[in-house]
Amino acid sequence: MILLRNPRTRHRRLGVAATAVGLLAALLSAGPAAATPDPGDRPAAGKEVSKSTEAEVRAAIADGEIPGQDEIVHSDNIEHLVNIPKDALPGTNSDLAFQGRYAFAGNYDGFRIFDISNPKVPKTVSQVLCPGSQNDISVSGNLLFLSTDSSRSDSSCASTTQPATEKSSWEGMKVFDISDKRNPKYVAAVETACGSHTHTLVPERRNVYLYVSSYSPSATYPDCRPPHDGISVIKVPRSAPEKAAVVSFPVLFPGEGPDGGGNPGSPTNPGVSKTTGCHDITVLPEKDLAAGACMGDGILFSIKDPENPKVIDRVQDNVNFAFWHSATFNQKANKVVFTDELGGGGAATCNAEIGPDRGADGIYDIVGKGDKRKLAFRSYFKIPRHQADTENCVAHNGSLIPVKGKDIMVQAWYQGGVSVWDFTNSAKPKEIAYFERGPLSTTTLQGGGAWSAYYYNGYIYSNDIAKGFDVLKLSDRRTDPAKKVWLNELNVQTQPDYFD
């Protein structure tokens, strides 16, 4: 494992980039005792379920209604090629990015780089220790970006957890030089308001813009006070990434009052999250278009001016959506799939009690033209298999599978596994393939399962929170044409024009 350390603590003002960090890279075994993953970023302990629930789970396994504990099941058109368990980074596995023959896997303790030139035998190239949830990850050229959404003692990779109520605490974006995949170099840090839960790249030839999504302000947080009704935009010069800095904070939910103009949430809209920022944004750079999943709201906006995005339309679903989590365009950019992360990813929501319309995907058609475009709801999609009440399961991260004339995507559902589904008919989506493991436990509700599942150059790659890195092969006449589409780079929240 590579340990990146900064021996000095620098307290930065909001929006001021780190100067050349000059961090020392060393093997963990050669580092000091303090150079270990931060226990503050460990997953929460499992929550015990009732004896009756435990009995129901065991009965469902015995009857074959759900797979046995850790048992792998899948449709006939999916093959599980390999699983690479966690190694030096024991934290929660998070998002994925791709470039050439490499996959970059985020983890709450840092990130791991795989050589996937042979997808059946991925090889670890490097593992970088740099704690700070979620470590949402993306790459562009020789740069790698990490989101830090936990309050840290400083911006270094040797930082520890520290209360957000302390002014000296740091959260935001980290920038690495990955020109040498075996030895990534930490080159810059930018503090952002309320940290960075996720981020989205808007790449240009000379610069990379980062749309930083964060939320949950508090009057007690010096660097994260309400109203927090927008996103931080960071400009990173490719030739001088150490000059990265916040260049704007566009307000997406203007309104009077201390909380801005987003969805007020409960008690006005019971069970719905109050909008205090965005969770995730997906952009279509070729069409100057973006979709934002922003807690209680879904938005469509123009990014013609990347430093000053403009909202085109905004929708709410105060009946079935609890937390607008992420967005995916179809290839023609006339549809958006929004996900609802009911229960925050830590609850059992794939069961008869919750039903098919909550914790699901919402499919919206984009109707109209230009700045008069509107989002029109068409239907919900949820995996058709019930999961145990000890399994966290809800709609999560996925990507398009590039098939001309079809709208097909692969998607992670935590312990619900990986689902491939077709939404070509917006009103009648259907699943066409799946992969899943049985519950991690029959006695406790434990967090686990697929965080992200993405299609890249002929294969599906999934980062399982607990089990590690999975590679799947999909063989189906409906999706086989996608094998002819080859990308040099993929950050799923920066959707490419697959057929340009």
Side-chain angles (χ1 to χ4, degrees):
M1 182 199 297
I2 295 171
L3 167 66
L4 298 177
R5 299 180 61 241
N6 184 349
R8 292 177 292 171
T9 298
R10 298 188 179 96
H11 303 316
R12 296 175 175 82
R13 292 179 293 110
L14 176 64
V16 179
T19 55
V21 184
L23 299 175
L24 173 66
L27 294 177
L28 178 63
S29 58
T36 58
D38 185 356
D41 288 318
R42 295 279 71 74
K47 179 182 178 182
E48 289 190 7
V49 298
S50 67
K51 292 297 181 183
S52 60
T53 296
E54 183 179 336
E56 289 173 1
V57 172
R58 290 179 174 172
I61 292 173
D63 293 342
E65 296 176 9
I66 62 173
Q69 190 171 350
D70 288 334
E71 179 187 1
I72 290 177
V73 297
H74 54 82
S75 54
D76 291 340
N77 52 0
I78 276 188
E79 179 184 359
H80 184 214
L81 296 182
V82 67
N83 169 264
I84 307 297
K86 294 183 194 179
D87 187 19
L89 304 175
T92 296
N93 278 338
S94 58
D95 212 0
L96 295 168
F98 305 90
Q99 186 181 84
R101 60 188 177 97
Y102 297 102
F104 303 82
N107 178 286
Y108 278 37
D109 286 323
F111 62 93
R112 188 174 182 179
I113 302 177
F114 292 98
D115 182 335
I116 55 171
S117 52
N118 182 353
K120 295 181 180 179
V121 190
K123 297 179 180 178
T124 298
V125 177
S126 58
Q127 299 183 74
V128 175
L129 174 63
C130 197
S133 65
Q134 300 187 131
N135 277 338
D136 188 53
I137 192 167
S138 61
V139 293
S140 183
N142 287 329
L143 299 177
L144 178 147
F145 306 93
L146 278 185
S147 285
T148 300
D149 193 37
S150 59
S151 186
R152 314 297 301 178
S153 55
D154 58 70
S155 64
S156 78
C157 285
S159 69
T160 57
T161 54
Q162 181 168 291
T165 52
E166 295 189 23
K167 177 62 179 173
S168 63
S169 295
W170 185 91
E171 297 181 67
M173 290 299 309
K174 295 169 181 170
V175 185
F176 292 78
D177 183 324
I178 53 168
S179 52
D180 180 358
K181 305 296 188 295
R182 295 186 178 278
N183 190 25
K185 303 290 186 182
Y186 183 6
V187 296
V190 182
E191 186 174 9
T192 55
C194 301
S196 174
H197 194 72
T198 66
H199 67 274
T200 303
L201 303 189
V202 184
E204 295 184 337
R205 179 171 295 181
R206 295 183 179 180
N207 305 297
V208 179
Y209 286 96
L210 307 179
Y211 287 174
V212 177
S213 296
S214 56
Y215 53 91
S216 295
S218 169
T220 65
Y221 300 161
D223 294 325
C224 181
R225 288 181 171 143
H228 182 72
D229 46 15
I231 58 174
S232 298
V233 179
I234 297 174
K235 182 178 180 180
V236 186
R238 292 187 186 274
S239 60
E242 69 277 3
K243 295 181 180 179
V246 174
V247 292
S248 67
F249 187 87
V251 174
L252 303 178
F253 303 97
E256 298 180 358
D259 297 319
N263 195 319
S266 298
T268 303
N269 297 314
V272 177
S273 295
K274 180 170 70 173
T275 298
T276 59
C278 290
H279 179 277
D280 211 343
I281 293 169
T282 293
V283 298
L284 278 173
E286 290 80 4
K287 299 185 184 297
D288 293 327
L289 197 63
C294 303
M295 304 182 73
D297 295 87
I299 59 174
L300 186 71
F301 55 102
S302 167
I303 57 170
K304 288 181 181 179
D305 178 356
E307 294 188 16
N308 298 285
K310 177 184 176 183
V311 175
I312 297 172
D313 192 28
R314 167 185 165 194
V315 291
Q316 296 178 356
D317 179 347
N318 294 319
V319 175
N320 288 316
F321 259 48
F323 187 93
W324 295 67
H325 175 276
S326 54
T328 302
F329 288 99
N330 69 336
Q331 179 59 33
K332 291 183 179 180
N334 59 9
K335 299 176 187 177
V336 182
V337 174
F338 288 103
T339 67
D340 171 26
E341 195 183 35
L342 174 67
T349 73
C350 297
N351 52 37
E353 179 183 1
I354 298 298
D357 297 339
R358 299 172 62 211
D361 297 313
I363 304 166
Y364 287 75
D365 285 352
I366 301 175
V367 297
K369 295 182 179 180
D371 288 352
K372 294 186 177 181
R373 284 172 285 190
K374 298 291 183 182
L375 292 164
F377 174 77
R378 292 293 180 255
S379 67
Y380 298 107
F381 171 78
K382 193 170 184 179
I383 56 173
R385 296 169 308 286
H386 287 166
Q387 305 295 307
D389 283 344
T390 57
E391 295 180 279
N392 60 314
C393 176
V394 75
H396 213 235
N397 295 345
S399 76
L400 286 185
I401 297 179
V403 179
K404 274 191 175 181
K406 298 288 185 181
D407 298 328
I408 301 175
M409 69 179 289
V410 58
Q411 186 175 6
W413 289 78
Y414 290 115
Q415 287 193 71
V418 174
S419 175
V420 179
W421 60 289
D422 186 325
F423 62 103
T424 306
N425 183 339
S426 301
K428 295 183 178 180
K430 59 182 180 181
E431 184 177 71
I432 61 176
Y434 72 91
F435 165 89
E436 69 165 299
R437 291 181 171 91
L440 287 170
S441 171
T442 60
T443 61
T444 60
L445 173 58
Q446 294 184 8
W451 179 289
S452 298
Y454 298 146
Y455 185 91
Y456 178 69
N457 293 350
Y459 295 87
I460 293 170
Y461 297 91
S462 173
N463 213 18
D464 188 288
I465 290 171
K467 296 296 184 182
F469 184 71
D470 287 306
V471 184
L472 308 175
K473 183 178 180 180
L474 176 65
S475 299
D476 190 291
R477 59 178 177 78
R478 294 165 289 190
T479 58
D480 285 347
K483 296 176 182 178
K484 299 178 182 179
V485 179
W486 204 260
L487 300 178
N488 292 321
E489 192 170 275
L490 177 63
N491 301 290
V492 168
Q493 286 73 39
T494 306
Q495 279 192 223
D497 185 341
Y498 289 97
F499 304 111
D500 183 8

